[in-house]
């Protein structure tokens, strides 16, 4: 019996040692400068309601790291309560891709276009890494619009206003790499891996919602 107990304890210790760092430290206090940075002068993408927490991913469709992270952040977002608002913002507001993303959003196509674009560029390679406006419009049209309507949206005053806001947000949040996670326009998530970032994001959103940050 003592031998069995000793083996069981040894096995549990070995399993604990093999766990990723994010799992082993998931209950540890968050440390500024290690887990997150506070961004001075930044602001939420949209005004926050009481108790609401906004998570912005600054991404680029051409970015292979964003393509790898996309299903992970999508799965994370799908598990969140109603008080978490997930927003996807292009990192390059002067590009056709950013205009295409906002046009897709206004047309109600973005939830389906977003993952499909990553697959087309990085997995299927049916789209170039940096498509033209016309290529974006042609790709997105089968999701529920026409190329002409999408091109018109991409050049519309409302999308131009979105691009200006996007530019201001990316600069203020110091989102100089992709993907970057910004919470409430104030906290930039750090971490050693994507799994670590999502663990930090879980704790950060909970602490903000609970009034602890």
């Amino acid at each position: 019996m003592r031998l069995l107990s000793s083996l069981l304890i040894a096995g549990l210790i070995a399993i604990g040692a093999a766990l990723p760092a994010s799992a082993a430290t998931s209950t540890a206090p968050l440390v500024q400068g290690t887990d997150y940075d506070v961004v001075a002068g930044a602001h939420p993408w949209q005004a926050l309601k009481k108790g609401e927490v906004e998570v912005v991913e600054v991404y680029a469709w051409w970015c292979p790291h964003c393509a790898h992270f996309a299903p992970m952040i999508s799965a994370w977002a799908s598990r969140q309560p109603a008080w978490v608002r997930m927003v996807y913002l292009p990192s390059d507001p002067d590009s056709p891709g950013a205009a295409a993303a906002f046009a897709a959003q206004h047309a109600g196509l973005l939830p389906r276009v977003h993952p499909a674009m990553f697959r087309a560029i990085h997995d299927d390679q049916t789209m170039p890494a940096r498509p033209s406006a016309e290529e974006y419009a042609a790709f997105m049209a089968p999701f529920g619009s026409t190329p002409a309507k999408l091109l018109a949206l991409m050049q519309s005053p409302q999308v131009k206003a979105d691009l200006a806001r996007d530019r201001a947000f990316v600069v203020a949040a110091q989102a100089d790499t992709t993907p970057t996670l910004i919470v409430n326009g104030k906290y930039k998530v750090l971490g050693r891996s994507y799994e670590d970032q999502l663990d930090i994001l879980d704790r950060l959103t909970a602490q903000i919602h609970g009034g602890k940050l």
Side-chain angles (χ1 to χ4, degrees), residues 43-57:
H43 50 79
W45 175 249
Q46 293 177 334
L48 296 167
K49 299 175 183 177
K50 185 176 180 180
E52 190 173 36
V53 179
E54 177 189 82
V55 176
V56 170
E57 183 202 1

Side-chain angles (χ1 to χ4, degrees), residues 20-199:
S22 59
T25 61
S26 60
T27 58
L30 291 171
V31 178
Q32 184 175 342
T34 299
D35 298 315
Y36 67 92
D37 277 337
V38 175
V39 183
H43 50 79
W45 175 249
Q46 293 177 334
L48 296 167
K49 299 175 183 177
K50 185 176 180 180
E52 190 173 36
V53 179
E54 177 189 82
V55 176
V56 170
E57 183 202 1
V58 179
Y59 75 94
W61 278 328
W62 51 260
C63 168
H65 305 293
C66 299
H68 178 72
F69 188 53
M72 300 171 70
I73 188 62
S74 176
W76 180 88
S78 71
R79 298 191 298 266
Q80 300 313 301
W83 49 262
V84 173
R85 181 175 70 215
M86 188 73 213
V87 180
Y88 300 97
L89 289 183
S91 65
D92 43 359
D94 297 315
S95 71
F102 284 115
Q105 182 178 10
H106 287 297
L109 310 179
L110 190 59
R112 289 178 294 150
V113 163
H114 190 65
M117 191 69 74
F118 279 124
R119 287 194 299 270
I121 292 174
H122 299 278
D123 299 332
D124 304 335
Q125 297 184 349
T126 53
M127 287 281 280
R130 297 178 186 267
S132 65
E134 291 75 16
E135 287 171 320
Y136 276 120
F139 178 86
M140 297 189 302
F143 290 90
S145 188
T146 66
K149 287 180 180 178
L150 290 166
L151 281 170
L153 261 178
M154 290 168 69
Q155 298 162 6
S156 68
Q158 96 190 108
V159 166
K160 288 180 180 178
D162 290 333
L163 293 171
R165 286 183 62 214
D166 186 23
R167 187 178 299 107
F169 183 95
V170 169
V171 171
Q174 302 171 29
D176 49 5
T177 61
T178 52
T180 295
L181 295 171
I182 305 292
V183 183
N184 278 15
K186 180 178 180 181
Y187 304 99
K188 182 192 291 189
V189 176
L190 303 178
R192 295 164 293 177
S193 67
Y194 293 142
E195 292 81 4
D196 195 24
Q197 288 182 355
L198 293 176
D199 176 67

